[in-house]
Amino acid sequence: MSGASGAVPGRARAVAVLLACALALAPAAARADEALLPGEDDLGEPGLSAEEVARITEPELDPTEDGAARPGDEPRGDELASRLDDYLDEAFPACGMPGAAVAVVDAGGVRYLRCLGDVTGPDETFLIGSLSKSMTAAAVMQLVDEGAVDLDTPAAAYAPGYGVPASVTVRDLLNQTSGFGYFEPLSGARSGEAAGSFSYANANYDLLGRIVECASGMPLGAYLREFVFTPLGMGDASAGGEPERAPRAEGHRSWFGAWAADGFEHGEGDDAWGGPASGYVRASVSDMAAYLRMYLNSGEVAPGGARVLSSRAVHRMIFSRVPDPEGDTYYGMGWTTYSWGDGELVMSHDGQVENYVARMCAIPGRDLAIVVLADGSDEFGGNEAFFSLADGVTAIAVGGRADPADAAARPGEHARYNALYALAVLLSALPLAWGAVRRLRGSRRAPRALPFLLLHMAAPVYLLGTPPLLTGMRWRDFASYYPDQTLVLLACCILLLVGGLGGLPGMARTTGRRSGARGDGGAGDARGAGDAR
């Protein structure tokens, strides 16, 4: 084979490596949970300056700009049902989720509830992701009301053994100002440079779960069952090691754009990225409707009913907040809050785990709350479409107009990524195919050592290191959230390694011949020297 024709496979191999590297550049797990609200707290909690309040801008969704009704004049009854049914009939198929459940509630009850797709009943349970955080915060605030926990005491006083410095208080964990890293599990969480300012991390709430256990003497799941779920009538909800109380809406992960109920189960323990306290409560749409009504009733199950949280604790959960330095919202105690253009307070939180997504939203000034749950998670278009659907539900619930659904967005995004995946695998297989062709032709020419080692040895090792290097995620977590990308990345590495194996005999022969030539040359030189003597 001539040198000119041999340059083509070399370029193709380089492209294969570059494309395979690009596969690891996908966005990491969505940081949907933003931060929270303005407001001077009349309970002595840290307040915000006028300048900080003035900095707040309106979020992307603001139905008050799009024909929303005045508070108290929102659609109800048949009008609300008709408008939401019409919207969901179009938007749910367009978002592409396998199943979903939607509820709109007020302090007195449920205004609207509907199950869609493969979700057949309101008692089917979902993993609700980071919506779990406010439940853990509610448990902590119950213990604060009882005097068992103090917000400004070091967290290590309640849950020792995690290496948390004394400067990190219970309040820091609730408000995400401990400095823990976003992707750190509780077992590896360390307070870093971000300490004192908002920095979202599951480990904050996983440690709060341990504080609940230490302060109450009960496992977190049992505590939530007895003091939160049962009083609120959340009969389907469960957490931690508690037995599940209702059938599941089976979770789905996206594999190249196709949904698969692949039986994925999140790991447990302090080494897992997220646990029951931060993201793995299981609840139905009926449970979530009851939970949100508690906030609309200032801690009571229903108007004038049993109390789960003191009104003071609820007020603290809404107004004892810290600003997100990178956004226009505020965060604290499991809730994101912000203001619409007319000054209305909005409480919200998104949730996403490996195979479920969720959103809850409460607008106390309208006596209104919304929850939308789905039994799939798809980082490439699907989750974005889901949250757009949730925006539409909120807009209609307050009397505004929802944006039309885009049915082509998710398939189009997957088509583009799938084309890249196919090209990367094809080009990674090219050295293997080219080696087979050369062997069939009887070529004995060995590859050059340095390019060979870089492509077939160093490149696979580098590729295997790219998920943690470029996303900050551990391999196990990357593989859980991006199973299809993981498969493609591993396939590229295996193809490059196997392609290299075919070239090893030729390299060995060449090395042997060169060593022999050097040996023969040395012997000849010695003989020549002897003859000269």
Side-chain angles (χ1 to χ4, degrees):
M1 181 178 65
S2 71
S5 60
V8 176
R11 286 198 295 269
R13 291 172 183 169
V15 173
V17 174
L18 292 174
L19 284 176
C21 289
L23 296 175
L25 291 172
R31 301 187 183 189
D33 308 288
E34 299 286 348
L36 282 180
L37 167 93
E40 195 70 35
D41 192 344
D42 58 6
L43 298 175
E45 300 296 331
L48 302 170
S49 68
E51 291 77 11
E52 289 174 317
V53 172
R55 284 208 319 266
I56 295 180
T57 60
E58 299 163 24
E60 183 175 353
L61 168 69
D62 186 354
T64 61
E65 292 184 340
D66 203 19
R70 293 184 304 175
D73 292 338
E74 302 85 4
R76 299 168 183 261
D78 291 342
E79 181 187 0
L80 176 63
S82 176
R83 293 187 61 185
L84 281 175
D85 283 343
D86 289 346
Y87 172 70
L88 291 171
D89 286 345
E90 175 188 356
F92 173 70
C95 86
M97 285 289 167
V102 178
V104 180
V105 304
D106 57 31
V110 176
R111 292 187 183 183
Y112 179 87
L113 191 150
R114 183 177 176 184
C115 299
L116 301 134
D118 63 7
V119 178
T120 58
D123 62 339
E124 293 186 20
T125 62
F126 303 71
L127 288 175
I128 60 172
S130 290
L131 278 58
S132 309
K133 288 182 171 66
S134 64
M135 298 178 182
T136 300
V140 171
M141 295 308 292
Q142 287 178 332
L143 294 169
V144 169
D145 280 347
E146 295 172 6
V149 172
D150 180 80
L151 291 178
D152 297 311
T153 293
Y158 301 105
Y162 289 97
V164 179
S167 58
V168 175
T169 66
V170 175
R171 190 190 301 274
D172 287 322
L173 300 178
L174 288 164
N175 288 352
Q176 307 265 19
T177 57
S178 68
F180 292 163
Y182 184 80
F183 288 114
E184 290 177 345
L186 178 55
S187 62
R190 297 293 180 268
S191 182
E193 294 180 359
S197 61
F198 173 75
S199 179
Y200 193 92
N202 284 334
N204 286 312
Y205 276 76
D206 291 331
L207 185 54
L208 286 167
R210 298 302 183 209
I211 289 174
V212 171
E213 293 178 337
C214 292
S216 68
M218 301 172 65
L220 177 65
Y223 183 94
L224 290 173
R225 160 64 46 196
E226 183 170 347
F227 295 104
V228 179
F229 299 158
T230 297
L232 288 173
M234 299 171 64
D236 306 322
S238 60
E242 286 284 290
E244 295 183 24
R245 311 280 173 152
R248 290 184 176 189
E250 288 297 331
H252 298 73
R253 294 192 295 175
S254 173
W255 289 82
F256 306 104
W259 292 113
D262 56 11
F264 176 84
E265 293 286 343
H266 182 76
E268 298 181 356
D270 290 345
D271 193 46
W273 183 42
S278 64
Y280 289 86
V281 167
R282 185 170 281 279
S284 67
V285 69
S286 295
D287 292 331
M288 293 305 299
Y291 178 68
L292 290 172
R293 287 200 301 273
M294 183 265 289
Y295 289 94
L296 298 178
N297 285 302
S298 297
E300 295 178 343
V301 174
R307 182 167 290 283
V308 176
L309 278 175
S310 68
S311 58
R312 183 174 189 268
V314 173
H315 193 275
R316 278 174 148 181
M317 291 183 71
I318 298 172
F319 291 105
S320 177
R321 310 302 187 183
V322 296
D324 178 357
E326 297 182 358
D328 304 321
T329 57
Y330 287 74
Y331 190 93
M333 302 197 189
W335 285 96
T336 297
T337 58
Y338 51 85
S339 291
W340 281 338
D342 62 353
E344 288 183 82
L345 167 68
V346 181
M347 305 163 57
S348 182
H349 214 296
D350 293 344
Q352 177 194 347
V353 293
E354 296 89 340
N355 44 8
Y356 294 88
V357 286
R359 172 175 287 173
M360 63 180 178
C361 176
I363 310 151
R366 291 179 180 265
D367 184 26
L368 190 67
I370 300 99
V371 61
V372 187
L373 310 173
D375 59 359
S377 182
D378 174 16
E379 193 63 33
F380 298 100
N383 293 351
E384 182 179 355
F386 166 82
F387 290 119
S388 293
L389 179 146
D391 283 344
V393 171
T394 301
I396 291 171
V398 299
R401 295 184 297 274
D403 292 333
D406 184 358
R410 178 176 180 266
E413 187 160 357
H414 276 288
R416 290 189 293 274
Y417 275 101
N418 289 346
L420 175 62
Y421 300 157
L423 184 59
V425 172
L426 177 65
L427 293 176
S428 295
L430 187 58
L432 181 62
W434 184 251
V437 170
R438 293 178 71 248
R439 286 191 293 273
L440 288 174
R441 291 179 177 178
S443 173
R444 299 175 62 84
R445 180 179 176 183
R448 295 180 179 178
L450 182 58
F452 177 89
L453 293 174
L454 287 175
L455 178 60
H456 295 291
M457 304 301 168
V461 172
Y462 173 76
L463 290 178
L464 292 175
T466 49
L469 285 173
L470 300 181
T471 69
M473 303 175 80
R474 298 177 299 178
W475 243 109
R476 59 187 279 190
D477 300 321
F478 181 86
S480 298
Y481 278 85
Y482 304 100
D484 45 3
Q485 283 202 334
T486 300
L487 180 62
V488 173
L489 190 59
L490 292 176
C492 290
C493 291
I494 291 170
L495 288 169
L496 290 170
L497 286 169
V498 172
L501 292 176
L504 287 177
M507 284 192 66
R509 287 194 301 270
T510 300
T511 303
R513 286 197 300 269
R514 289 173 179 170
S515 298
R518 286 194 295 270
D520 291 344
D525 291 343
R527 286 194 298 271
D531 292 343
R533 288 193 298 268

